[in-house]
């Protein structure tokens, strides 16, 4: 009996370079590669499916507990007691919406265009969709094409490639046979033929895309703190539920009696009320609302928050890393000056008005205008267009816009210059000093000194005419009689708001670092212009390894880096994070995408590449750096105010657990219906927490908010629990009815809860006092309005019982105040930085 082999198809052998150049792949060779899976198909999946996102947010232990509680209430027909489910539903919906939105952004990441690619197959040129290319395909590349997969150049006719989005290197790179081509780089000049050497998931662009698409949740200390509380409560919830349910059944006369009569219904409702009060879903909802409000506010300031905790993270950042081009600078160059080889300034802020030097050929300004206006001008030459537009127009014959160009020499990275031959003034070449100046020329030393200061220098040279080949075409070589004329000096434009913004970050104790793929001297000059200390110079990252301790130590001990590869940027960010820093990374190119992805907070500029925007958590839509201090201030407000309301929520959760367990052990009825507790929760936590999170707060971030909150909340919860147990025990001793016990407990809880709220609203004046007064007014309305008394099933306590309730609540006030004083003394002793931050905020 024969068996079909399941072994993978063997990798086809590669044709020789000569064979490939002659006819490309044959149809049979293409089919072999397709069968072996060696195609340029791109994986478009992310690490999180929609079903996974739904499961993550829906199937949690808290949602299970609250869902079962809600189902129990519905089954016994008490629909008015299901309001506690609203916060849980809101948390699920908001959490799913946020993560699904992030998934959609990641799904959109694509570094490669979908244009068909010209290839040679069976000796014929054909157009092939990008995902149907195969390994060893011979692709034809010309100006404007994007390299569809990693390749090796087989032939080149002045092939120049722009790899700036991938490597950060601004200058085009001349490619010769044998050189490697990176997928997603662009051809900016010349043409060539290349063999695809890595396709599909093996190509550089695919690897970057795959890593960028991986889902990673932003680290939020607020969210992490809440998850820690959730974990603690989850571990204790099952035995607590058992104690509470048993206690309520025993209070109803025992399990047999309760099940034999309708008493189990009331016991089940009060059990639900007790258990539901222990789940701090309101804190998560309040944090989410705070983030959402901040996102809306910042959107009005041209800041797009793509993941809401990003606002909080910026407030915790202690290290900000910048890319240079397009981030620290405006992403281009401007003409700084034009001077003779002897140093006479002809154009610039302090240009001399004396007569033209005798040795300077006339028409230089019109030539610069023509080279700048050329539609094929590179970004540096294009900066000449506007300054010399008038000179170009003045040199044009009547009825023309420019003098006639009798010959054009396109820019070539190999030659490092371009040129034009103009009727009436001869040939003009614009290029690198190394290409147009003699090695022993004093002007070459001068150009080197200018470059060392971070300026970009080109030379304008003149010749009688361009060289011609035998067929009359312009030859790509230096013409005879070449005479250098001028130094053309360019400067990168540092963003006008950058110095002030960086100064602000320094004043806040934040370390600043520049990671750029550009020349280290240029990077240092831009950083100095932005106000950074570059006395230690710029580190050339090409001398450092791609990863490892040496790279991390350099990132920690130096501030300015040039020639940084995308992999190095990512590993430097990861190394800083592993060293305990909270790192923000800003950038705009694809070469920044992985560093943004792995930073605590990735910030993209408004003109960033789509892939870079997709992996970032925050986008500066108008590209203005000075938006970041406003985001930081908003994040500080959220963290500081959430810490305040965390005191309230943890106190509520803690006393709910203590009260439920205590009454369960005592086998006393839990003194709240779900609707009653929902209202109490609204008055002592829910409503005030909403207003508190909106209050201004300039307190800077200090780590450890959860420990500080627990130190205050647990003793306060014990005080409140003790008072409520006394109210119930005294009421039972007096023979008070269940409704009266519930009302008295409600009254005592809200009185102490609102006073507890005052501890996070000191000093009590203005808006703070208004919040407290409105909650006390709410308590009065709840206990006096007939419709409220009917809905809550309240019966007001009278006489000695009412007096006892008020007196013990007053005692609770005093004990809460004592606990506050002790807590502040503990903060001063154990967390002086937190105390100093509060004092600074109050003084500002």
């Amino acid at each position: 009996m024969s068996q079909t082999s399941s072994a993978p198809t063997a990798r086809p052998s590669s044709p020789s370079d000569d064979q490939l150049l002659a006819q490309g792949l044959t149809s049979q060779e293409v089919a072999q590669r397709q069968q072996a899976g060696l195609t340029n198909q791109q994986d478009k999946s992310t690490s999180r499916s929609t079903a996974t996102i739904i499961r993550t947010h829906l199937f949690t232990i808290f949602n299970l507990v609250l869902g079962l509680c809600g189902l129990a209430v519905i089954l016994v027909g008490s629909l008015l007691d299901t309001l506690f489910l609203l916060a849980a539903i809101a948390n699920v919906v908001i959490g799913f919406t946020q993560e699904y939105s992030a998934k959609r952004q990641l799904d959109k990441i694509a570094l490669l265009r979908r244009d068909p690619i010209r290839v040679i197959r069976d000796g014929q040129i054909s157009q092939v969709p990008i995902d149907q290319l195969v390994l060893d395909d011979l692709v034809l590349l010309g100006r404007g094409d994007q390299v569809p997969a990693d390749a090796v150049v087989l032939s080149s006719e002045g092939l120049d490639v722009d790899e700036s989005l991938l490597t950060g290197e601004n200058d085009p790179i001349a490619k010769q046979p044998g050189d490697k081509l990176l997928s997603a780089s662009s051809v900016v000049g010349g043409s060539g033929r290349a063999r695809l050497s890595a396709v599909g998931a093996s190509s550089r662009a695919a690897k970057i895309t795959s890593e960028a698409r991986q889902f990673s949740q932003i680290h939020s200390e607020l969210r992490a703190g809440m998850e820690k509380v959730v974990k603690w409560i989850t571990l204790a919830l099952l035995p607590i539920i058992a104690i509470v349910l048993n206690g309520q059944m025993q209070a109803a006369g025992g399990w047999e009696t309760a099940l034999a009569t309708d008493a189990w219904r009331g016991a089940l409702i009060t059990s639900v009320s007790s258990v539901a009060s222990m789940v701090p879903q309101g804190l998560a909802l309040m944090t989410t609302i705070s983030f959402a409000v901040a996102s809306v506010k910042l959107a009005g300031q041209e800041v797009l928050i793509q993941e809401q905790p990003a606002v909080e993270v910026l407030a915790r950042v202690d290290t900000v890393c910048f890319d240079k081009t397009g981030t620290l600078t405006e992403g281009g160059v401007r003409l700084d000056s034009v001077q003779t080889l002897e140093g006479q300034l002809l154009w610039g802020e302090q240009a001399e008005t004396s007569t033209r030097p005798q040795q300077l050929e006339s028409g230089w300004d019109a030539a610069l205008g023509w080279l700048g206006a050329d539609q094929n001008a590179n970004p540096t030459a294009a900066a000449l267009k506007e300054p010399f537009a008038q000179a170009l127009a003045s040199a044009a014959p009547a009825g023309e816009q420019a003098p006639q160009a009798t010959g054009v020499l396109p820019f070539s990275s190999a030659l490092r210059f371009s040129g034009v031959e103009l009727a009436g003034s001869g040939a003009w070449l614009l290029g690198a000093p190394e290409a147009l100046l003699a090695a022993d020329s004093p002007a070459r030393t001068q150009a080197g000194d200018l470059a060392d200061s971070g300026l970009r220098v080109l030379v304008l040279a003149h010749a009688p005419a361009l060289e011609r080949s035998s067929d009359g075409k312009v030859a790509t070589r230096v013409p005879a009689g070449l005479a250098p004329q001028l130094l053309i000096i360019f400067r990168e434009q540092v963003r006008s708001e950058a110095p002030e913004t960086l100064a602000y970050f320094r004043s806040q104790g934040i370390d600043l670092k520049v990671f750029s793929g550009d020349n280290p001297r240029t990077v240092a000059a831009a950083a100095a212009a932005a106000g950074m200390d570059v006395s230690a110079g710029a580190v050339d990252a090409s001398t450092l390894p791609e990863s490892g301790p040496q790279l991390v130590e350099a990132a920690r001990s130096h501030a300015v880096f040039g020639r940084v590869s995308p992999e190095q940027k990512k590993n430097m960010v990861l190394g800083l994070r592993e060293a305990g820093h909270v790192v923000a990374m800003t950038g705009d190119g694809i070469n920044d995408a992985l560093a943004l992805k792995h930073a605590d907070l990735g910030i993209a500029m408004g003109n960033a590449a789509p892939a870079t925007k997709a992996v970032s958590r925050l986008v500066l839509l108008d590209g203005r750096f000075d938006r970041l201090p406003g985001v930081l201030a908003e994040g500080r407000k959220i963290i500081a105010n959430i810490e305040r309301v965390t005191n309230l929520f943890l106190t509520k959760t803690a006393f709910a657990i203590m009260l439920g367990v205590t009454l369960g052990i005592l086998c006393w009825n839990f003194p709240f219906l779900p609707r009653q507790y929902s209202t109490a929760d609204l008055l002592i936590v829910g409503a005030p927490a909403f207003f508190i999170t909106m209050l201004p707060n300039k307190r800077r971030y200090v780590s450890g908010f959860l420990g500080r909150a627990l130190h205050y909340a647990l003793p306060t919860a014990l005080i409140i629990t003790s008072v409520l147990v006394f109210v119930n025990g005294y009421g039972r001793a007096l023979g008070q009815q269940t409704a009266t016990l519930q009302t008295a407990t409600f009254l005592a809880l809200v009185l102490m809860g609102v006073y507890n709220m005052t501890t996070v609203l000191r000093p009590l004046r203005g808006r703070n006092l208004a919040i407290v007064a409105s909650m006390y007014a709410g308590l009065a309305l709840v206990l006096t309005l007939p419709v409220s008394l009917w809905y809550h099933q309240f019966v007001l306590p009278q006489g000695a019982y009412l007096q006892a309730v008020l007196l013990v609540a007053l005692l609770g006030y005093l004990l809460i105040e004592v606990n506050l004083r002790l807590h502040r003394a503990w903060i001063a002793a154990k967390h002086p930085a937190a105390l100093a931050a509060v004092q600074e905020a109050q003084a500002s």
Side-chain angles (χ1 to χ4, degrees):
M1 180 176 176
S2 64
Q3 293 181 337
T4 303
S5 174
S6 59
T9 304
R11 183 186 179 99
S13 60
S14 298
S16 67
D17 291 349
D18 291 338
Q19 180 183 346
L20 203 62
L21 283 170
Q23 66 172 18
L25 294 177
T26 64
S27 298
Q28 182 180 0
E29 289 172 328
V30 171
Q32 288 175 342
R33 284 155 175 76
Q34 290 173 339
Q35 186 177 4
L38 300 175
T39 67
N40 202 38
Q41 190 74 35
Q42 304 292 317
D43 181 12
K44 299 180 181 179
S45 63
T46 59
S47 60
R48 301 272 278 188
S49 66
T50 303
T52 301
I53 296 173
I54 292 174
R55 287 197 302 269
T56 299
H57 292 281
L58 187 59
F59 300 118
T60 66
I61 184 65
F62 275 8
N63 287 343
L64 174 63
V65 170
L66 292 175
L68 291 175
C69 288
L71 179 61
V73 171
I74 293 171
L75 290 177
V76 299
S78 185
L79 296 179
L80 292 176
D81 287 315
T82 59
L83 291 179
F84 66 88
L85 292 174
L86 293 180
I89 294 171
N91 278 330
V92 172
V93 171
I94 294 172
F96 170 80
T97 302
Q98 288 177 341
E99 190 168 333
Y100 183 70
S101 175
K103 168 185 163 57
R104 292 186 61 189
Q105 288 287 343
L106 295 177
D107 286 344
K108 293 177 183 177
I109 294 177
L111 305 189
L112 297 174
R113 301 197 300 260
R114 308 304 298 174
D115 305 337
I117 306 299
R118 292 184 303 147
V119 302
I120 295 180
R121 290 179 178 176
D122 294 319
Q124 302 293 321
I125 298 177
S126 59
Q127 299 267 355
V128 176
I130 187 171
D131 54 3
Q132 293 182 23
L133 295 172
V134 298
L135 185 70
D136 294 321
D137 249 330
L138 181 66
V139 298
L140 308 181
L141 299 172
R143 182 183 177 87
D145 289 338
Q146 186 183 51
V147 180
D150 293 351
V152 176
V153 178
L154 297 187
S155 68
S156 171
E157 296 180 10
L159 182 64
D160 291 336
V161 176
D162 178 7
E163 297 179 346
S164 60
L165 284 178
L166 293 167
T167 65
E169 177 60 63
N170 283 327
D171 295 327
I173 300 173
K175 296 293 184 179
Q176 303 298 331
D179 289 345
K180 294 181 179 180
L181 294 173
L182 299 177
S183 50
S185 56
S186 300
V187 179
V188 294
S191 61
R193 300 184 179 194
R195 175 204 295 266
L196 297 187
S197 57
V199 295
S202 300
S203 71
R204 182 183 180 88
K207 290 176 180 178
I208 293 176
T209 301
S210 176
E211 186 170 349
R213 279 181 170 163
Q214 295 303 302
F215 174 81
S216 61
Q217 194 173 57
I218 191 169
H219 175 70
S220 161
E221 183 171 347
L222 295 179
R223 187 162 57 191
M226 287 184 290
E227 288 174 352
K228 190 176 292 186
V229 172
V230 166
K231 181 179 180 180
W232 293 338
I233 297 175
T234 299
L235 294 175
L237 206 51
L238 289 179
I240 289 174
I241 291 174
I243 293 171
V244 169
L245 183 59
N246 179 69
Q248 297 310 301
M249 287 297 189
Q250 296 298 335
W255 283 87
E256 290 186 11
T257 302
L259 294 175
T261 64
D262 279 342
W264 68 269
R265 294 178 180 271
L268 185 60
I269 292 294
T270 53
S271 297
V272 166
S273 180
S274 176
V275 172
S277 66
M278 301 175 189
V279 180
Q281 73 267 25
L283 179 58
L285 180 60
M286 199 55 57
T287 303
T288 299
I289 291 174
S290 299
F291 287 149
V293 171
S295 298
V296 172
K297 179 179 178 180
L298 292 171
Q301 301 174 20
E302 299 296 318
V303 178
L304 175 63
I305 306 298
Q306 300 205 110
E307 193 170 342
Q308 290 183 347
V311 184
E312 171 224 324
V313 176
L314 184 59
R316 295 191 290 107
V317 161
D318 60 27
T319 305
V320 177
C321 306
F322 307 98
D323 176 44
K324 177 185 71 68
T325 305
T327 306
L328 202 58
T329 66
E330 292 183 350
V333 296
R334 64 176 177 85
L335 181 63
D336 179 80
S337 60
V338 176
Q339 63 183 48
T340 66
L341 303 187
E342 292 75 28
Q344 181 181 347
L345 191 63
L346 299 182
W347 190 98
E349 293 182 0
Q350 299 178 344
E352 300 175 19
T353 58
S354 58
T355 58
R356 174 175 59 86
Q358 292 183 355
Q359 69 274 24
L360 180 62
E361 296 287 344
S362 61
W364 63 271
D365 48 359
L368 290 176
W370 193 98
L371 290 166
D374 182 13
Q375 63 179 1
N376 295 322
N378 61 33
T380 302
L384 298 168
K385 178 179 179 180
E386 185 176 342
F388 297 106
Q390 184 61 44
L392 180 63
S394 300
E400 300 290 336
Q401 295 181 343
Q404 180 184 3
T406 55
V408 176
L409 182 61
F411 177 81
S412 165
S413 295
L415 294 175
R416 303 192 67 184
F417 60 77
S418 60
V420 61
E421 185 180 281
L422 299 177
S425 65
W428 298 90
L429 272 60
L430 182 68
E434 297 83 1
L436 300 178
L437 291 175
D440 58 353
S441 170
R444 187 152 172 184
T445 302
Q446 182 183 0
D449 292 340
L450 290 168
D452 286 339
S453 68
L455 299 172
R456 181 168 296 186
V457 183
L458 297 180
V459 172
L460 181 69
H462 179 266
L466 295 175
E467 295 288 312
R468 274 13 185 232
S469 57
S470 58
D471 58 2
K473 294 183 178 180
V474 174
T476 56
R477 59 177 180 265
V478 176
L482 186 70
Q485 301 286 302
L486 300 169
L487 297 181
I488 316 300
I489 304 165
F490 301 86
R491 179 186 299 276
E492 282 201 276
Q493 184 64 46
V494 173
R495 292 182 180 275
S496 59
E497 69 274 9
E500 183 179 353
T501 303
L502 298 190
Y504 171 80
F505 281 130
R506 284 195 299 273
S507 71
Q508 301 300 308
I510 296 174
D511 288 336
L512 304 175
K513 298 183 184 294
V514 180
F515 300 155
S516 174
D518 217 338
N519 186 298
R521 296 179 305 188
T522 306
V523 179
M532 290 184 63
D533 180 7
V534 295
S535 57
V539 177
D540 187 342
S542 64
T543 64
L544 298 172
E546 286 286 287
S547 61
Q550 183 182 352
L551 180 70
V552 174
E553 180 56 33
R556 295 178 61 184
S557 57
H558 294 82
V560 182
F561 296 81
R563 304 209 186 282
V564 185
S565 72
E567 194 69 16
Q568 284 177 318
K569 283 188 183 183
K570 181 189 78 171
N571 290 328
M572 291 164 89
V573 166
L574 287 173
L576 289 170
R577 290 186 64 187
E578 289 170 0
H581 295 284
V582 182
V583 182
M585 175 73 198
T586 69
D588 65 338
I590 294 172
N591 62 310
D592 303 317
L594 295 184
L596 265 68
K597 176 79 175 180
H598 292 282
D600 291 284
L601 178 63
I603 304 171
M605 309 305 282
N607 61 347
T612 307
K613 286 183 181 178
V615 300
S616 69
R617 317 288 190 171
L618 184 153
V619 181
L620 303 178
L621 295 175
D622 57 3
R624 286 181 53 181
F625 231 26
D626 56 353
R627 303 292 189 189
L628 290 179
V631 180
L632 186 145
E634 195 68 24
R636 285 182 171 177
K637 184 187 84 170
I638 289 175
I639 289 182
N641 286 337
I642 288 296
E643 180 170 340
R644 294 203 289 182
V645 301
T646 298
N647 287 356
L648 306 182
F649 276 103
L650 290 185
T651 299
K652 185 215 77 164
T653 297
F655 81 67
I657 293 174
M658 293 178 186
L659 184 64
V661 171
T662 301
L663 298 183
I665 294 173
L666 294 173
C667 297
W668 290 359
N669 287 319
F670 189 73
F672 295 104
L673 295 175
R675 70 190 77 173
Q676 296 168 349
Y677 194 87
S678 294
T679 301
D681 189 41
L682 177 67
L683 291 173
I684 66 175
V685 178
F690 175 79
F691 293 116
I692 290 171
T693 55
M694 300 301 116
L695 292 176
N697 196 325
K698 297 182 180 179
R699 200 203 74 184
R700 60 182 171 83
Y701 165 76
V702 180
S703 63
F705 87 98
L706 182 59
R708 294 192 296 271
L710 286 171
H711 184 270
Y712 171 81
L714 293 178
T716 304
L718 182 60
I719 293 168
I720 294 175
T721 301
S722 300
V723 170
L724 297 185
V725 170
F726 172 81
V727 169
N728 277 264
Y730 187 59
R732 290 169 63 90
L734 294 177
Q736 297 290 328
Q737 296 180 355
T738 299
T740 306
L741 281 174
Q742 291 172 341
T743 309
T745 310
F746 176 89
L747 175 61
L749 173 59
V750 176
L751 286 173
M752 287 186 296
V754 176
Y755 186 81
N756 181 50
M757 181 179 65
T758 69
T759 64
V760 300
L761 285 173
R762 311 288 174 90
L764 284 174
R765 58 174 179 260
R767 284 173 292 195
N768 293 358
L769 183 59
I771 293 173
V772 174
S774 62
M775 295 305 108
Y776 277 127
L779 171 62
L781 291 175
V782 169
L783 293 178
T784 56
L785 290 178
V787 66
S788 173
L789 294 173
W790 166 82
Y791 168 73
H792 291 99
Q793 300 181 20
F794 280 155
V795 174
L796 294 175
Q798 303 293 327
Y801 187 43
L802 176 60
Q803 294 175 3
V805 170
L806 296 177
L807 285 173
V808 76
L810 178 60
L811 177 61
Y813 281 16
L814 295 176
L815 293 175
I816 289 172
E817 188 66 29
V818 170
N819 180 55
L820 176 64
R821 303 296 174 89
L822 294 174
H823 174 69
R824 286 178 173 175
W826 177 81
I827 290 288
K830 301 295 185 180
H831 296 266
L835 179 62
V838 172
Q839 293 171 342
E840 289 172 10
Q842 291 175 345
S844 63

